[in-house]
Amino acid sequence: MQNNFDTVNVLGLDFIKASQTQFLDQLKRDSQTKARRFVVTANPEIVLAAKKDQKYAQTLKSADYITADGIGIIKGAKILGDPLPERVTGYDTLLALLSFANKHHKRVFFLGAKPAVLQQVLTKVATNYPAITIAGSCDGYFKDEAKVAEQIKKAEPDFVFVALGFPKQEFFIAKYQDLASAIWMGVGGSFDVLSGQTKRAPKWWIDHHLEWAYRLLKEPSRFIRMLALPKYLLLIYRKKYFKH
Ligand code: UDP
């Protein structure tokens, strides 16, 4: 990873010490200078997945920026004594970059999510961000990966948003990022939210750092995934008190 930000190590991953605004300013500069960038917005689940899978850890470490997506990362950094300024979420970053892309007539490639969700995203983008050129798109259930890569290359995008969920999206970006001098970002379930299929928590829940609880209420099937949170906190405390 090479960038201008100081970083904070949380269980093996280096998170940038940047506010949402500072990070967006950096990405906008990167975009205007046509730099190729790989952005990871990581939550505790991703941190745990990287601890378990060496290949995934290496892939994440090759990213240009890892941001703190989720209150768990902010809390973890604080407990470890090296706090991060604030959350820099994939969804907020995606919306801000779409506005930027609209203002500067950029080319955007949308990859991922179910076909119907992707269609709704494209319609929304065409309506709300009319100056964006939709350079190309492909839903996330493709068979021929090489063909998708070729499609991205031909599209010459300024931004590639990859909504395949982790770890797929990061593996995909790491493998193909050299095909376009673009900002490549894994955005997880953001297309589902953007399309209106999944509702983001109301502001009160977000402000009280309870977005995770809201999601759990709406999608109880996420319970197993959420067991990652207490496990993550245990590892944080182990690191704090036993230094390993
Ligand atoms: N997805 C996809 N292809 C796949 C697996 C998942 O396009 O092979 C999409 C899925 O439709 C959803 C997103 O990836 O839009 C993952 O959402 P999830 O909420 O699991 O992501 P998270 O934000 O938790 O990483």
Side-chain angles (χ1 to χ4, degrees):
M1 169 150 69
Q2 259 194 343
N3 63 61
N4 303 325
F5 296 115
D6 287 338
T7 55
V8 176
N9 192 283
V10 179
L11 302 180
L13 294 186
D14 289 327
F15 287 85
I16 55 167
K17 240 182 187 173
S19 65
Q20 177 80 71
T21 308
Q22 288 167 331
F23 181 53
L24 285 171
D25 287 347
Q26 178 62 46
L27 285 183
K28 290 173 189 173
R29 277 195 298 274
D30 289 341
S31 179
Q32 295 300 43
T33 56
K34 277 261 159 215
R36 202 255 320 121
R37 294 285 186 256
F38 172 10
V39 180
V40 172
T41 67
N43 58 19
E45 265 188 285
I46 291 183
V47 170
L48 289 187
K51 274 190 93 64
K52 262 203 215 149
D53 177 350
Q54 190 59 31
K55 192 169 153 237
Y56 189 42
Q58 284 311 324
T59 300
L60 295 180
K61 282 175 193 170
S62 77
D64 296 288
Y65 310 108
I66 303 180
T67 78
D69 192 344
I71 192 65
I73 302 296
I74 302 296
K75 286 247 188 298
K78 195 171 170 197
I79 293 167
L80 292 171
D82 196 359
L84 286 160
E86 63 178 343
R87 297 200 306 163
V88 177
T89 69
Y91 188 65
D92 291 327
T93 306
L94 171 66
L95 291 188
L97 290 179
L98 286 175
S99 293
F100 172 81
N102 188 48
K103 196 165 155 203
H104 296 275
H105 302 263
K106 299 282 186 192
R107 301 172 64 77
V108 182
F109 196 102
F110 296 87
L111 172 62
K114 298 196 179 110
V117 169
L118 180 65
Q119 277 318 312
Q120 282 169 318
V121 165
L122 298 180
T123 306
K124 202 140 205 189
V125 168
T127 312
N128 297 351
Y129 308 94
I132 285 181
T133 300
I134 298 176
S137 65
C138 181
D139 70 69
Y141 298 87
F142 49 84
K143 296 271 176 323
D144 188 348
E145 190 181 290
K147 221 167 159 183
V148 179
E150 189 55 31
Q151 206 184 327
I152 296 176
K153 187 177 174 194
K154 282 217 184 95
E156 296 186 359
D158 299 298
F159 293 91
V160 184
F161 296 121
V162 185
L164 299 174
F166 79 90
K168 251 191 190 171
Q169 58 196 20
E170 285 81 22
F171 283 133
F172 185 94
I173 294 174
K175 191 163 169 192
Y176 295 113
Q177 57 184 333
D178 288 333
L179 294 181
S181 214
I183 310 284
W184 297 69
M185 181 166 82
V187 297
S190 291
F191 288 3
D192 300 78
V193 181
L194 191 59
S195 71
Q197 285 283 329
T198 306
K199 291 263 175 295
R200 210 184 171 195
K203 196 172 173 309
W204 184 91
W205 295 75
I206 297 178
D207 289 348
H208 289 79
H209 305 308
L210 287 170
E211 192 168 7
W212 61 272
Y214 181 85
R215 287 185 85 177
L216 183 57
L217 283 173
K218 291 280 163 189
E219 291 174 76
S221 61
R222 296 184 81 89
F223 180 71
I224 295 290
R225 284 181 61 171
M226 285 197 174
L227 291 177
L229 276 170
K231 188 170 173 206
Y232 163 84
L233 276 178
L234 270 175
L235 290 181
I236 290 280
Y237 280 108
R238 192 175 82 179
K239 180 89 188 161
K240 179 179 165 80
Y241 292 112
F242 302 105
K243 306 273 178 257
H244 74 87

